[in-house]
Amino acid sequence: MTTTRHGTTTAPVVEVVPLTPTTWRVCDSRNDGGKDPRIVGYITTAPDGFEMLWMRPRPGVTYRYDTFDDAVHATETRLRMLRR
């Protein structure tokens, strides 16, 4: 997986698109427009790292991570588990 703080990140499961210098939209790259939305949440900078705000399956759940890469990797892992 290749990630950058300021660019688009594409992984087998996670697509991260920058919205602002501090916010990224996180999509499930495996969803091609079916009944479930592609957007799964948002990563934002936090005072001590990064937060992932989930929009599905349970809106409002937030996880904190030390680095942007940690947030992307953990999100990819969770999405893989949700699809089993």
Side-chain angles (χ1 to χ4, degrees):
M1 171 178 18
T2 303
T3 58
T4 63
R5 286 192 64 184
H6 302 290
T8 300
T9 302
T10 304
V13 175
V14 175
E15 180 182 342
V16 180
V17 179
L19 300 176
T20 72
T22 61
T23 305
W24 297 262
R25 180 177 51 231
V26 182
C27 298
D28 185 339
S29 63
R30 301 169 299 176
N31 191 330
D32 59 0
K35 67 177 183 168
D36 292 329
R38 283 179 31 95
I39 298 172
V40 294
Y42 298 90
I43 295 174
T44 59
T45 57
D48 58 346
F50 294 85
E51 291 183 345
M52 170 61 182
L53 171 64
W54 285 84
M55 301 308 291
R56 68 173 180 92
R58 283 179 247 144
V61 175
T62 303
Y63 292 95
R64 286 189 166 250
Y65 302 96
D66 291 333
T67 68
F68 180 82
D69 288 343
D70 289 345
V72 172
H73 179 71
T75 300
E76 182 177 19
T77 300
R78 286 185 185 277
L79 284 177
R80 286 185 191 278
M81 291 172 39
L82 289 172
R83 285 290 181 123
R84 289 184 180 181

